[in-house]
Structures are given as structure tokens and as C-alpha cells.
Amino acid sequence: MSVASSAQSLSHRPDTVFHDRFEGITAGPFTDADAARFLTQATFGPTAADIAHLRSIGYQAWLTEQFAATPTYEMTYINWTEGTPLGSPPLSPLGERPDGDHRIEAWWLGALGGPDPQYPTDSTHDHKDQLRQRVAFALSEIMVVSQQNATLAGFQNGLAYYYDILSRDAFGNYRTLLQDVTLSPEMGVYLNMQSNQRADLSQNIHPDENYAREINQLFSVGLVMLNADGTPKAPSQPTYTQSTVSAFAHVFTGWSFYDCDANGYDNFSGCGPDYNTGASFQHPMIAYDVKNYPHTGDPSYHDNGTDPVNDLSNKQLLIYPGAASAGVLANGGTAASDLQFALDNIFNHPNVGPFISKQLIQRLVTSNPTPAYVGRVAAIFNNDGTGVRGNLKAVVQKILLDPEARVGQWQNPDTYGKLREPLLVFTHVWRAMGAKHMCGNDQDQPNPGNPDIIYKYNNQPYRYAGYGGAWNTQYWVGQMPLNANTVFNFFKPGFIPGGEMAAAGLYGPEFQTTTDTTITDITGNSFQRGFGGDISDTCDPTDDYGDVQINHAQDVALAGSSTGGTADPSDRLVDAYNIRFMGGQMSPFMRQTLISYLNTLSTANSGSDDFRVERIKRALGLILTSPEYIIQK
């Protein structure tokens, strides 16, 4: 059966009895629509080639490929641009710290995938780790650091280093991730653990509680005790108290930049980053206490409970059945041993599995997973089948292959799905339409207005964008990687919009940033940057910063063949975009309305322009700003 004929009878509630051919849902995908839906959840947006590849190998083989794919690290690109002197090729001066546009360009390399700018003709270096990058982005919205912090904004290499932690640990163990995040100097600066010192009551100095609070509230256990399926226990029971936060704050003392002594700082609280290289932000923090601080006679900056005046003795951490030592940290440890005890205490809390599993489901699949879905994923978090707790690879696989992920749109049509984040709308259309960052200067020379920027070298257009350039979505739709306004992310996982959703008790996290202004901005910028590029993808030599060009040419054959009009219908284009952008869930009404409108475009009313390109542009504009598209199902 053709795509067009199958689409004719499409509804939101197809007959699912024979859908999996009695082989089981995870044996699929059984249709292109199945493949597109899966890829929408597991990548930054499906392409036609991705859909065909997934159909040919199946879900499990695809996941195996992705788990084994070479990771994309932002620091690889940062180091390339930073360490290349002018002239070979002229990207940025040797040793200059990268700015935010370098980092954003690096992020887009992973998000879009495809050729690496260092090896434009060698496909063995192509970025293919879509699942890892998608999970890293999800983690970045849970374990938030942000360049809204002025110090971090000045060290974009540090933000790239932090994002690489999330990418590296995306398929590792959550306990490892907790430790790597805790000791990252970026988190140390953002939530004040860096140079957090033990109490000195004579100076009215007390340990900072910021990180102690957020690692519990946001990164692990949440505020109330949960059942195994993520529902709150009744009656409501808090997971911790203010005294628990204070105890953790005393534990998280004595850590700072790895090079404090090398930088000549004798005062622990005054240790700052290396402003020349930013290298301080590219290494885990280290402990400064009596056992390892290099200056003999200097005091310990870690509270190990042995100072009867200033220390907090026998710190009571989280209390739960089975907690080691009943959650009590005994006196006399080192900063390192005390940190290990505290992180183990957090990691083994029974809330962590359902709390983190639900948030990952929300970021990838649906805002309102059923308790049964959360419970199945949390069970894998607690034990991956081999006795290992916190195996994120197993958790991610379970999230994506669970029956609710694969057919939940049919099982729970009124509550299933999620509002697409503005950034993910752009990644989707740009991946699906073969987008590239095109040059703003057509010559193999630095940009005349800024000698530190080049946009084309050896005729390769994939290059670094200048300030306010191609990828800077923060200025368009208020969202950019590692640029949330607060530690609570761009939106809170427990946000409930007003109106019908509030009445039904449905979560809609992404709706928290949806306002009249953002709706207008998203619509306007979608049309301008998603649909305005020309068919040949040529560079504009008058553009100082380059732009994003999408490849309309790839779909011209779908849009018609001769003169247009009803004699040359647009149904093949609409059906292809139904699959690629909407996972085959376009309503019959929307499909017919689009076809009828696009059929009015022909050679007769397109002037010198190709009517097929005009059909493509308008189809994209209408689909990607439609209510049916904007809710990912």
C-alpha cells in the first residue's frame, strides 16, 4: 500500500489489533510512522534517511548502534578552534578563550549530526551519536548549570566541559554522574560549593547550603517520599528537613579549583579561576584538607566533625530503610571519604529511581506518564537485571521501548504527549531538511569585519557563527543549551497550566514558558529561518555572520513534476511530511486542508520561482506552527 493511500484512511485511533503482527511492539518498527515517532523521542528529529535505516535494522539494533557510537564532545571543537593559529586555517587566535558562539556551534554539531568541520570529507568522523546527545540535553535540564551566571558566561570552555560530562555519563551509572556533576567546577561555581569552607563562628562564617539543597531537591530525591511508581506516599512525608540540608552543607566543604596552589592562592576562600586560559574549569575540583593541602600548617577547610566549636558532629543525612549507618556520617573522615558517604546516601535513597525516571520520561516521551510506566522504568533503575543500580543505558532503553512509549498515543489519547520545546522545533526542522550553517563570507579569508571569524575554508561551509549568528536561538525563542534562567531549568517538571489541564491535573512543563510573546517569536522565527533559505543553498557574501540554510531541493520531487495545480497534486509532499514531522498522526482534516491549499500553487502564480519550492516552504510553515504538530505524540 502506498504512503498516500494509507494516509487517506488515517485517524487518531487506528486499529491496533494486528499492528505488531503478533511479534511484540519492540520487534518493530512496523511502519515508517512508527519509526518517525521513535526517532522523535530518541533524537533531535528524524530524517528520511534515519527512518529508512531504522526500518531496515529495527529498534534493538538501532539502540545497540547508538550505544556504541563515538561520542561527540564539545571540547573537541572548542580545542580545535582555540588552538589553531591564524592562517591554518584562520579560525581564532592561538590561546584565546572561546566565546559563547564557539560553544553553541559545538552543540549544534552534536544536535544536527553529520560531517565534522575538521574532517569535512571523511565520513568516519561524522557525528552519529544522536541518542547520547538527546539524553545529554535531557540531563542538562535536570542537573542545571547556566551561563546566566556571570562567571560561567566568561568561561565558555567550562560550560562545554560540563556538557561533555553529561554526554560522557549519559549511558553510564547515575552514581558516577552524581559525583562528576558534584565535583565539576561549573556546578561548584553555579551552586556555591567551590571554596565552600567549614564554619568559623568567630568570623560568622557558615557553610553555604545552596548545593546541599539542590542536589536533594532537584537531582535525586525530591521533596516528598514517593512510591515505587513515582506517586507521592500518603500521607505526605517530606524526604528531608532543614537540619538535613545543613548537615549536607557541612559535608560539601573543602573543595575548590584543582590549581589553587599553582595559581599562588594562600587563601582558600579567595581562590579563583585562571582568567588567561580558563583551565581551572576543565578539571574536577579537588579537596583541600589537612591530609593533602600542600602548605604545611594550613588549616583544613573541610568540616570532619572534630572541631568542638565550629564543626557539626556526627552529621545526620537522609534517613530511609537500609541507609548505611542509618544515614549518620561519623566524625574524623576526609573531604573525599565524607563526600563518598554522602553521595552513596543520596544515590541509594528509594526515591531516586522513580524521581529521575519520571523526569527522563517527561523530557523524551510524554509529560504525563502513567504510574505503571514510571514504575516499570524505576524498577530498571533499581536493578537492571544484573543487580546493578542506576544503569542509565538500561533506563534509557526501557523508556524508549516501553509499550507506553510505543503505543501510548493510542492507549491514552487524551493525556498522552508533550508540548515541543522551542529549541527542539528548530532541531527537528533543520535535521529533517538537511540544514547547514552557511558562510557569511565566500572567500577563504577571515571576515573583513572581524579577523577572528571565518565562515568558509576550502569551500566547506560548516563553520563557527559570530555573535548573534546562525544558531543563537536564545534571541529568537528564549531557549539555548545551558542558558536557563534558574536552577529550576526553563520550566519545572511539576508545572500545571491553568484551564482544562489544571482541572484534569495534567502536567505541562513546557507550557510554563509559553506566552503570547514566545508564541509570536517562535512562529515568526520559524518562517524566517526555517523556510527562507533558497534551493541552491548558496552563501550570501553580504551576511556578516552566516545563516542556516535548509535543503529544499531534497524534496522537490515530492512537491510536483510539471506545472502544479490540481493536475499536479501535492499529496505526496504532505504525506511525506506527515511521516517526517508528525509521526503519521496528521488528522484527515488537516491533511486534506493542506493538500487543497498547496494545490492552488502552480507555475502560473509563482512567477519566476519554482512552484514546488513554494509548496515546500508553505507546507513547512503551516505544519510546524500547527496545534497538531506542536504537541509531540
Side-chain angles (χ1 to χ4, degrees):
M1 181 183 293
S2 70
V3 172
S5 61
S6 65
Q8 292 282 359
S9 58
L10 181 67
S11 78
H12 287 298
R13 299 294 298 272
D15 184 357
T16 61
V17 174
F18 302 106
H19 184 76
D20 64 7
R21 306 169 190 170
F22 300 104
E23 297 177 39
I25 295 169
T26 59
F30 299 103
T31 66
D32 286 355
D34 288 349
R37 281 193 68 254
F38 177 89
L39 291 168
T40 298
Q41 297 163 353
T43 73
F44 280 103
T47 68
D50 290 340
I51 293 169
H53 178 63
L54 177 57
R55 287 295 310 276
S56 71
I57 66 172
Y59 293 135
Q60 192 60 64
W62 186 89
L63 287 167
T64 299
E65 276 186 353
Q66 286 294 299
F67 290 142
T70 301
T72 294
Y73 292 127
E74 292 185 8
M75 285 305 302
T76 302
Y77 181 85
I78 295 292
N79 290 335
W80 176 57
T81 59
E82 182 182 28
T84 305
L86 290 171
S88 58
L91 290 172
S92 67
L94 183 62
E96 177 186 307
R97 288 210 317 271
D99 64 18
D101 297 306
H102 285 91
R103 180 178 69 81
I104 294 303
E105 185 86 354
W107 185 86
W108 280 100
L109 286 176
L112 291 189
D116 188 290
Q118 298 180 72
Y119 310 96
T121 60
D122 185 351
S123 62
T124 63
H125 293 276
D126 285 1
H127 301 272
K128 299 177 180 178
D129 59 329
Q130 274 287 295
L131 179 59
R132 181 184 295 274
Q133 294 304 307
R134 187 69 184 82
V135 173
F137 181 67
L139 291 171
S140 77
E141 295 190 320
I142 299 172
M143 302 172 132
V144 174
V145 304
S146 173
Q147 72 174 22
Q148 295 288 325
N149 176 282
T151 301
L152 294 181
F155 292 91
Q156 294 289 329
N157 59 319
L159 291 170
Y161 170 84
Y162 181 79
Y163 202 89
D164 286 351
I165 290 174
L166 306 180
S167 297
R168 183 181 69 239
D169 292 349
F171 302 147
N173 194 281
Y174 198 74
R175 173 61 176 80
T176 301
L177 177 62
L178 268 180
Q179 177 155 325
D180 290 345
V181 165
T182 298
L183 293 183
S184 69
E186 295 73 29
M187 185 62 76
V189 167
Y190 190 60
L191 292 182
N192 308 118
M193 184 177 152
Q194 182 263 327
S195 288
N196 190 26
Q197 66 185 76
R198 74 194 303 171
D200 184 347
L201 301 184
S202 67
Q203 301 294 318
N204 197 28
I205 294 174
H206 302 269
D208 190 285
E209 297 182 353
N210 205 2
Y211 188 65
R213 190 178 309 280
E214 306 308 354
I215 189 177
N216 284 288
Q217 178 179 346
L218 302 179
F219 305 167
S220 59
V221 300
L223 294 174
V224 298
M225 292 296 296
L226 302 174
N227 295 308
D229 61 5
T231 57
K233 286 184 178 292
S236 181
Q237 307 167 37
T239 49
Y240 56 86
T241 65
Q242 174 55 40
S243 63
T244 316
V245 172
S246 296
F248 275 107
H250 283 261
V251 173
F252 296 140
T253 54
W255 298 86
S256 194
F257 294 118
Y258 85 105
D259 57 352
C260 282
D261 184 57
N263 286 341
Y265 294 105
D266 294 323
N267 183 349
F268 173 83
S269 62
C271 179
D274 185 328
Y275 282 89
N276 293 317
T277 66
S280 309
F281 280 103
Q282 294 175 216
H283 300 269
M285 295 188 295
I286 65 171
Y288 291 87
D289 57 17
V290 171
K291 294 183 180 299
N292 65 7
Y293 195 67
H295 295 302
T296 303
D298 279 352
S300 170
Y301 293 102
H302 171 64
D303 175 354
N304 66 357
T306 60
D307 182 335
V309 176
N310 297 302
D311 284 358
L312 185 65
S313 181
N314 293 321
K315 304 170 185 70
Q316 178 64 65
L317 305 183
L318 295 172
I319 304 172
Y320 52 89
S325 303
V328 176
L329 174 61
N331 299 336
T334 65
S337 66
D338 287 355
L339 181 75
Q340 296 304 312
F341 183 93
L343 295 182
D344 285 343
N345 174 256
I346 293 171
F347 173 68
N348 288 298
H349 191 286
N351 265 28
V352 178
F355 185 77
I356 295 301
S357 296
K358 183 175 182 179
Q359 289 194 68
L360 287 174
I361 293 170
Q362 286 183 313
R363 299 279 55 77
L364 301 175
V365 179
T366 179
S367 296
N368 293 278
T370 63
Y373 185 11
V374 175
R376 291 189 293 269
V377 177
I380 295 297
F381 184 100
N382 295 337
N383 184 340
D384 66 355
T386 68
V388 174
R389 176 180 175 82
N391 181 350
L392 289 175
K393 179 190 292 186
V395 168
V396 169
Q397 177 164 298
K398 179 58 182 172
I399 288 172
L400 294 173
L401 294 183
D402 188 87
E404 194 163 325
R406 303 280 40 88
V407 294
Q409 79 279 19
W410 299 333
Q411 296 171 337
N412 307 297
D414 294 332
T415 60
Y416 189 86
K418 63 193 294 287
L419 180 70
R420 298 179 195 262
E421 298 175 49
L423 181 60
L424 298 186
V425 172
F426 282 96
T427 64
H428 191 176
V429 66
W430 283 340
R431 271 183 52 79
M433 298 303 296
K436 292 182 179 180
H437 173 196
M438 302 304 293
C439 63
N441 185 324
D442 203 36
Q443 306 300 316
D444 289 349
Q445 297 293 331
N447 183 287
N450 187 340
D452 295 345
I453 302 173
I454 190 170
Y455 302 103
K456 199 167 188 181
Y457 186 77
N458 289 340
N459 206 35
Q460 297 300 325
Y462 219 114
R463 280 298 183 264
Y464 154 60
Y467 181 78
W471 307 121
N472 208 331
T473 54
Q474 184 70 30
Y475 297 100
W476 310 343
V477 294
Q479 191 181 24
M480 191 170 71
L482 301 188
N483 199 34
N485 289 329
T486 73
V487 71
F488 297 101
N489 188 30
F490 302 98
F491 39 77
K492 297 179 181 179
F495 178 75
I496 298 178
E500 292 183 39
M501 291 184 69
L506 295 176
Y507 298 111
E510 297 84 359
F511 281 94
Q512 190 170 11
T513 59
T514 303
T515 65
D516 292 346
T517 300
T518 58
I519 292 172
T520 302
D521 287 345
I522 292 169
T523 302
N525 282 291
S526 294
F527 274 92
Q528 179 182 351
R529 287 175 170 80
F531 324 123
D534 71 50
I535 191 171
S536 63
D537 280 348
T538 56
C539 297
D540 179 0
T542 66
D543 186 346
D544 288 338
Y545 297 111
D547 207 345
V548 178
Q549 299 274 338
I550 66 175
N551 182 14
H552 297 104
Q554 68 179 24
D555 293 335
V556 160
L558 295 171
S561 58
S562 55
T563 61
T566 55
D568 194 3
S570 59
D571 57 322
R572 292 179 64 239
L573 178 69
V574 172
D575 290 338
Y577 284 3
N578 177 22
I579 297 296
R580 200 182 308 169
F581 293 105
M582 298 180 65
Q585 297 178 89
M586 184 183 294
S587 67
F589 172 80
M590 180 176 174
R591 177 181 181 272
Q592 190 55 55
T593 300
L594 280 173
I595 291 173
S596 297
Y597 168 68
L598 296 176
N599 284 350
T600 65
L601 303 177
S602 65
T603 300
N605 57 22
S606 295
S608 60
D609 296 331
D610 189 324
F611 77 93
R612 297 172 297 176
V613 176
E614 195 62 30
R615 282 182 172 181
I616 291 169
K617 291 180 180 180
R618 298 195 189 190
L620 288 171
L622 292 169
I623 290 172
L624 273 78
T625 56
S626 70
E628 288 193 25
Y629 168 79
I630 208 65
I631 301 298
Q632 173 189 310
K633 290 210 176 217

mmCIF file of all heavy atoms in Angstrom, residues 362 367-368 414-415 417-420 491-515 519 631:
data_model
loop_
_atom_site.group_PDB
_atom_site.id
_atom_site.type_symbol
_atom_site.label_atom_id
_atom_site.label_comp_id
_atom_site.label_asym_id
_atom_site.label_seq_id
_atom_site.Cartn_x
_atom_site.Cartn_y
_atom_site.Cartn_z
ATOM 1 N N GLN A 362 9.542 12.423 30.920
ATOM 2 C CA GLN A 362 8.957 13.702 30.533
ATOM 3 C C GLN A 362 9.781 14.406 29.470
ATOM 4 O O GLN A 362 9.247 15.040 28.558
ATOM 5 C CB GLN A 362 8.820 14.606 31.751
ATOM 6 C CG GLN A 362 7.702 14.230 32.705
ATOM 7 C CD GLN A 362 7.582 15.220 33.851
ATOM 8 O OE1 GLN A 362 8.562 15.596 34.482
ATOM 9 N NE2 GLN A 362 6.365 15.666 34.095
ATOM 10 N N SER A 367 4.597 14.110 28.983
ATOM 11 C CA SER A 367 4.571 14.888 30.223
ATOM 12 C C SER A 367 3.824 14.189 31.342
ATOM 13 O O SER A 367 4.054 14.484 32.519
ATOM 14 C CB SER A 367 3.919 16.253 29.970
ATOM 15 O OG SER A 367 4.675 17.029 29.083
ATOM 16 N N ASN A 368 2.922 13.277 30.993
ATOM 17 C CA ASN A 368 2.074 12.630 31.994
ATOM 18 C C ASN A 368 2.130 11.113 31.857
ATOM 19 O O ASN A 368 1.124 10.468 31.529
ATOM 20 C CB ASN A 368 0.635 13.127 31.865
ATOM 21 C CG ASN A 368 0.487 14.584 32.240
ATOM 22 O OD1 ASN A 368 0.391 14.926 33.411
ATOM 23 N ND2 ASN A 368 0.497 15.460 31.232
ATOM 24 N N ASP A 414 -6.062 11.197 25.341
ATOM 25 C CA ASP A 414 -6.420 12.496 25.924
ATOM 26 C C ASP A 414 -5.358 13.045 26.870
ATOM 27 O O ASP A 414 -5.374 14.239 27.187
ATOM 28 C CB ASP A 414 -7.748 12.380 26.687
ATOM 29 C CG ASP A 414 -8.910 12.076 25.756
ATOM 30 O OD1 ASP A 414 -8.833 12.455 24.577
ATOM 31 O OD2 ASP A 414 -9.879 11.438 26.216
ATOM 32 N N THR A 415 -4.457 12.199 27.345
ATOM 33 C CA THR A 415 -3.455 12.648 28.318
ATOM 34 C C THR A 415 -2.028 12.456 27.832
ATOM 35 O O THR A 415 -1.090 12.881 28.502
ATOM 36 C CB THR A 415 -3.615 11.880 29.645
ATOM 37 O OG1 THR A 415 -3.431 10.471 29.406
ATOM 38 C CG2 THR A 415 -4.983 12.125 30.244
ATOM 39 N N GLY A 417 1.440 12.697 25.502
ATOM 40 C CA GLY A 417 2.199 13.618 24.673
ATOM 41 C C GLY A 417 2.823 14.742 25.477
ATOM 42 O O GLY A 417 2.717 14.803 26.704
ATOM 43 N N LYS A 418 3.492 15.641 24.774
ATOM 44 C CA LYS A 418 4.172 16.753 25.410
ATOM 45 C C LYS A 418 4.275 17.918 24.440
ATOM 46 O O LYS A 418 4.381 17.719 23.215
ATOM 47 C CB LYS A 418 5.569 16.346 25.892
ATOM 48 C CG LYS A 418 6.510 15.927 24.775
ATOM 49 C CD LYS A 418 7.776 15.231 25.295
ATOM 50 C CE LYS A 418 8.658 16.138 26.104
ATOM 51 N NZ LYS A 418 9.363 17.133 25.271
ATOM 52 N N LEU A 419 4.234 19.125 24.969
ATOM 53 C CA LEU A 419 4.474 20.303 24.145
ATOM 54 C C LEU A 419 5.934 20.316 23.725
ATOM 55 O O LEU A 419 6.825 20.139 24.560
ATOM 56 C CB LEU A 419 4.141 21.570 24.932
ATOM 57 C CG LEU A 419 4.337 22.903 24.202
ATOM 58 C CD1 LEU A 419 3.295 23.070 23.116
ATOM 59 C CD2 LEU A 419 4.249 24.060 25.205
ATOM 60 N N ARG A 420 6.184 20.527 22.446
ATOM 61 C CA ARG A 420 7.573 20.546 21.982
ATOM 62 C C ARG A 420 8.276 21.797 22.493
ATOM 63 O O ARG A 420 7.737 22.902 22.392
ATOM 64 C CB ARG A 420 7.632 20.514 20.450
ATOM 65 C CG ARG A 420 7.026 19.263 19.836
ATOM 66 C CD ARG A 420 7.103 19.327 18.320
ATOM 67 N NE ARG A 420 6.245 18.354 17.685
ATOM 68 C CZ ARG A 420 6.642 17.160 17.227
ATOM 69 N NH1 ARG A 420 7.910 16.805 17.358
ATOM 70 N NH2 ARG A 420 5.779 16.333 16.667
ATOM 71 N N PHE A 491 11.742 25.453 32.656
ATOM 72 C CA PHE A 491 10.404 25.160 33.165
ATOM 73 C C PHE A 491 10.536 24.065 34.218
ATOM 74 O O PHE A 491 11.505 23.304 34.234
ATOM 75 C CB PHE A 491 9.484 24.692 32.034
ATOM 76 C CG PHE A 491 10.159 23.787 31.040
ATOM 77 C CD1 PHE A 491 10.411 22.454 31.328
ATOM 78 C CD2 PHE A 491 10.585 24.282 29.815
ATOM 79 C CE1 PHE A 491 11.062 21.634 30.423
ATOM 80 C CE2 PHE A 491 11.242 23.475 28.900
ATOM 81 C CZ PHE A 491 11.476 22.133 29.217
ATOM 82 N N LYS A 492 9.578 23.990 35.107
ATOM 83 C CA LYS A 492 9.604 22.999 36.178
ATOM 84 C C LYS A 492 8.866 21.731 35.752
ATOM 85 O O LYS A 492 7.819 21.805 35.107
ATOM 86 C CB LYS A 492 8.965 23.573 37.440
ATOM 87 C CG LYS A 492 9.705 24.775 38.011
ATOM 88 C CD LYS A 492 9.001 25.302 39.252
ATOM 89 C CE LYS A 492 9.726 26.529 39.805
ATOM 90 N NZ LYS A 492 9.043 27.075 41.014
ATOM 91 N N PRO A 493 9.377 20.561 36.127
ATOM 92 C CA PRO A 493 8.715 19.309 35.714
ATOM 93 C C PRO A 493 7.318 19.160 36.283
ATOM 94 O O PRO A 493 6.495 18.437 35.725
ATOM 95 C CB PRO A 493 9.647 18.217 36.244
ATOM 96 C CG PRO A 493 10.453 18.876 37.319
ATOM 97 C CD PRO A 493 10.608 20.299 36.890
ATOM 98 N N GLY A 494 7.021 19.855 37.389
ATOM 99 C CA GLY A 494 5.713 19.737 38.003
ATOM 100 C C GLY A 494 4.755 20.851 37.658
ATOM 101 O O GLY A 494 3.695 20.985 38.294
ATOM 102 N N PHE A 495 5.082 21.649 36.621
ATOM 103 C CA PHE A 495 4.213 22.775 36.269
ATOM 104 C C PHE A 495 2.907 22.268 35.662
ATOM 105 O O PHE A 495 2.894 21.402 34.784
ATOM 106 C CB PHE A 495 4.912 23.701 35.283
ATOM 107 C CG PHE A 495 4.063 24.865 34.837
ATOM 108 C CD1 PHE A 495 3.843 25.940 35.679
ATOM 109 C CD2 PHE A 495 3.473 24.870 33.581
ATOM 110 C CE1 PHE A 495 3.044 27.006 35.291
ATOM 111 C CE2 PHE A 495 2.684 25.936 33.169
ATOM 112 C CZ PHE A 495 2.471 27.006 34.036
ATOM 113 N N ILE A 496 1.786 22.842 36.130
ATOM 114 C CA ILE A 496 0.462 22.521 35.601
ATOM 115 C C ILE A 496 -0.155 23.794 35.032
ATOM 116 O O ILE A 496 -0.388 24.755 35.773
ATOM 117 C CB ILE A 496 -0.456 21.939 36.692
ATOM 118 C CG1 ILE A 496 0.123 20.622 37.244
ATOM 119 C CG2 ILE A 496 -1.867 21.720 36.152
ATOM 120 C CD1 ILE A 496 -0.711 20.010 38.351
ATOM 121 N N PRO A 497 -0.415 23.846 33.728
ATOM 122 C CA PRO A 497 -1.041 25.038 33.140
ATOM 123 C C PRO A 497 -2.462 25.211 33.664
ATOM 124 O O PRO A 497 -3.109 24.253 34.096
ATOM 125 C CB PRO A 497 -1.044 24.730 31.633
ATOM 126 C CG PRO A 497 -0.099 23.589 31.447
ATOM 127 C CD PRO A 497 -0.116 22.816 32.721
ATOM 128 N N GLY A 498 -2.952 26.434 33.596
ATOM 129 C CA GLY A 498 -4.326 26.694 34.005
ATOM 130 C C GLY A 498 -5.333 26.135 33.025
ATOM 131 O O GLY A 498 -4.985 25.567 31.991
ATOM 132 N N GLY A 499 -6.610 26.291 33.348
ATOM 133 C CA GLY A 499 -7.669 25.875 32.444
ATOM 134 C C GLY A 499 -7.948 24.390 32.500
ATOM 135 O O GLY A 499 -7.933 23.767 33.567
ATOM 136 N N GLU A 500 -8.173 23.799 31.336
ATOM 137 C CA GLU A 500 -8.572 22.399 31.263
ATOM 138 C C GLU A 500 -7.511 21.467 31.835
ATOM 139 O O GLU A 500 -7.839 20.468 32.482
ATOM 140 C CB GLU A 500 -8.871 22.009 29.820
ATOM 141 C CG GLU A 500 -10.106 22.676 29.234
ATOM 142 C CD GLU A 500 -10.381 22.199 27.822
ATOM 143 O OE1 GLU A 500 -10.193 20.997 27.565
ATOM 144 O OE2 GLU A 500 -10.766 23.023 26.979
ATOM 145 N N MET A 501 -6.234 21.775 31.616
ATOM 146 C CA MET A 501 -5.188 20.901 32.125
ATOM 147 C C MET A 501 -5.145 20.936 33.648
ATOM 148 O O MET A 501 -4.943 19.911 34.304
ATOM 149 C CB MET A 501 -3.835 21.279 31.524
ATOM 150 C CG MET A 501 -3.733 20.983 30.039
ATOM 151 S SD MET A 501 -2.106 21.299 29.324
ATOM 152 C CE MET A 501 -1.120 20.009 30.087
ATOM 153 N N ALA A 502 -5.350 22.117 34.231
ATOM 154 C CA ALA A 502 -5.394 22.214 35.693
ATOM 155 C C ALA A 502 -6.578 21.431 36.235
ATOM 156 O O ALA A 502 -6.469 20.721 37.255
ATOM 157 C CB ALA A 502 -5.465 23.667 36.126
ATOM 158 N N ALA A 503 -7.718 21.555 35.569
ATOM 159 C CA ALA A 503 -8.904 20.831 36.019
ATOM 160 C C ALA A 503 -8.701 19.323 35.968
ATOM 161 O O ALA A 503 -9.222 18.584 36.814
ATOM 162 C CB ALA A 503 -10.104 21.234 35.166
ATOM 163 N N ALA A 504 -7.912 18.879 34.989
ATOM 164 C CA ALA A 504 -7.646 17.448 34.850
ATOM 165 C C ALA A 504 -6.416 17.005 35.623
ATOM 166 O O ALA A 504 -6.104 15.807 35.649
ATOM 167 C CB ALA A 504 -7.478 17.105 33.369
ATOM 168 N N GLY A 505 -5.695 17.960 36.233
ATOM 169 C CA GLY A 505 -4.493 17.625 36.990
ATOM 170 C C GLY A 505 -3.349 17.147 36.122
ATOM 171 O O GLY A 505 -2.551 16.302 36.536
ATOM 172 N N LEU A 506 -3.233 17.689 34.912
ATOM 173 C CA LEU A 506 -2.211 17.259 33.962
ATOM 174 C C LEU A 506 -1.012 18.196 33.974
ATOM 175 O O LEU A 506 -1.171 19.418 33.935
ATOM 176 C CB LEU A 506 -2.795 17.201 32.548
ATOM 177 C CG LEU A 506 -3.897 16.167 32.317
ATOM 178 C CD1 LEU A 506 -4.446 16.289 30.903
ATOM 179 C CD2 LEU A 506 -3.371 14.751 32.567
ATOM 180 N N TYR A 507 0.173 17.602 33.992
ATOM 181 C CA TYR A 507 1.395 18.385 33.922
ATOM 182 C C TYR A 507 1.639 18.848 32.482
ATOM 183 O O TYR A 507 1.345 18.141 31.524
ATOM 184 C CB TYR A 507 2.604 17.565 34.389
ATOM 185 C CG TYR A 507 2.517 17.111 35.824
ATOM 186 C CD1 TYR A 507 2.350 15.766 36.148
ATOM 187 C CD2 TYR A 507 2.605 18.037 36.861
ATOM 188 C CE1 TYR A 507 2.270 15.351 37.469
ATOM 189 C CE2 TYR A 507 2.520 17.626 38.181
ATOM 190 C CZ TYR A 507 2.352 16.287 38.477
ATOM 191 O OH TYR A 507 2.263 15.884 39.785
ATOM 192 N N GLY A 508 2.223 20.023 32.366
ATOM 193 C CA GLY A 508 2.621 20.549 31.068
ATOM 194 C C GLY A 508 3.837 21.427 31.244
ATOM 195 O O GLY A 508 3.734 22.657 31.110
ATOM 196 N N PRO A 509 5.005 20.846 31.578
ATOM 197 C CA PRO A 509 6.179 21.653 31.932
ATOM 198 C C PRO A 509 6.507 22.740 30.920
ATOM 199 O O PRO A 509 6.750 23.897 31.287
ATOM 200 C CB PRO A 509 7.301 20.604 32.019
ATOM 201 C CG PRO A 509 6.602 19.333 32.377
ATOM 202 C CD PRO A 509 5.286 19.397 31.670
ATOM 203 N N GLU A 510 6.510 22.366 29.638
ATOM 204 C CA GLU A 510 6.935 23.322 28.617
ATOM 205 C C GLU A 510 5.978 24.497 28.469
ATOM 206 O O GLU A 510 6.355 25.544 27.937
ATOM 207 C CB GLU A 510 7.092 22.601 27.268
ATOM 208 C CG GLU A 510 8.166 21.527 27.253
ATOM 209 C CD GLU A 510 7.685 20.183 27.789
ATOM 210 O OE1 GLU A 510 6.497 20.100 28.203
ATOM 211 O OE2 GLU A 510 8.468 19.228 27.801
ATOM 212 N N PHE A 511 4.749 24.347 28.934
ATOM 213 C CA PHE A 511 3.790 25.446 28.858
ATOM 214 C C PHE A 511 4.187 26.611 29.768
ATOM 215 O O PHE A 511 3.685 27.719 29.603
ATOM 216 C CB PHE A 511 2.386 24.967 29.237
ATOM 217 C CG PHE A 511 1.669 24.232 28.149
ATOM 218 C CD1 PHE A 511 1.720 22.842 28.090
ATOM 219 C CD2 PHE A 511 0.947 24.912 27.180
ATOM 220 C CE1 PHE A 511 1.055 22.146 27.089
ATOM 221 C CE2 PHE A 511 0.273 24.229 26.178
ATOM 222 C CZ PHE A 511 0.332 22.847 26.126
ATOM 223 N N GLN A 512 5.089 26.362 30.720
ATOM 224 C CA GLN A 512 5.477 27.426 31.645
ATOM 225 C C GLN A 512 6.165 28.573 30.921
ATOM 226 O O GLN A 512 6.111 29.718 31.364
ATOM 227 C CB GLN A 512 6.390 26.874 32.745
ATOM 228 C CG GLN A 512 6.636 27.861 33.876
ATOM 229 C CD GLN A 512 7.344 27.222 35.053
ATOM 230 O OE1 GLN A 512 7.844 26.103 34.969
ATOM 231 N NE2 GLN A 512 7.396 27.932 36.166
ATOM 232 N N THR A 513 6.815 28.285 29.803
ATOM 233 C CA THR A 513 7.497 29.340 29.045
ATOM 234 C C THR A 513 6.688 29.783 27.829
ATOM 235 O O THR A 513 7.181 30.564 27.015
ATOM 236 C CB THR A 513 8.875 28.849 28.567
ATOM 237 O OG1 THR A 513 8.707 27.684 27.742
ATOM 238 C CG2 THR A 513 9.770 28.501 29.747
ATOM 239 N N THR A 514 5.459 29.287 27.710
ATOM 240 C CA THR A 514 4.634 29.623 26.562
ATOM 241 C C THR A 514 3.774 30.835 26.879
ATOM 242 O O THR A 514 2.872 30.775 27.703
ATOM 243 C CB THR A 514 3.740 28.432 26.166
ATOM 244 O OG1 THR A 514 4.562 27.295 25.900
ATOM 245 C CG2 THR A 514 2.930 28.765 24.933
ATOM 246 N N THR A 515 4.088 31.945 26.228
ATOM 247 C CA THR A 515 3.347 33.186 26.408
ATOM 248 C C THR A 515 2.962 33.733 25.042
ATOM 249 O O THR A 515 3.381 33.206 24.003
ATOM 250 C CB THR A 515 4.202 34.234 27.143
ATOM 251 O OG1 THR A 515 5.325 34.580 26.304
ATOM 252 C CG2 THR A 515 4.720 33.689 28.471
ATOM 253 N N ILE A 519 5.028 32.630 21.633
ATOM 254 C CA ILE A 519 4.297 32.040 20.501
ATOM 255 C C ILE A 519 4.537 32.851 19.235
ATOM 256 O O ILE A 519 4.802 32.302 18.154
ATOM 257 C CB ILE A 519 2.790 31.958 20.818
ATOM 258 C CG1 ILE A 519 2.522 30.934 21.921
ATOM 259 C CG2 ILE A 519 1.993 31.600 19.561
ATOM 260 C CD1 ILE A 519 1.098 30.930 22.414
ATOM 261 N N ILE A 631 2.191 19.571 19.633
ATOM 262 C CA ILE A 631 2.098 18.570 20.691
ATOM 263 C C ILE A 631 2.702 17.272 20.162
ATOM 264 O O ILE A 631 2.162 16.639 19.259
ATOM 265 C CB ILE A 631 0.643 18.327 21.134
ATOM 266 C CG1 ILE A 631 0.026 19.624 21.650
ATOM 267 C CG2 ILE A 631 0.601 17.246 22.213
ATOM 268 C CD1 ILE A 631 0.718 20.212 22.876
#
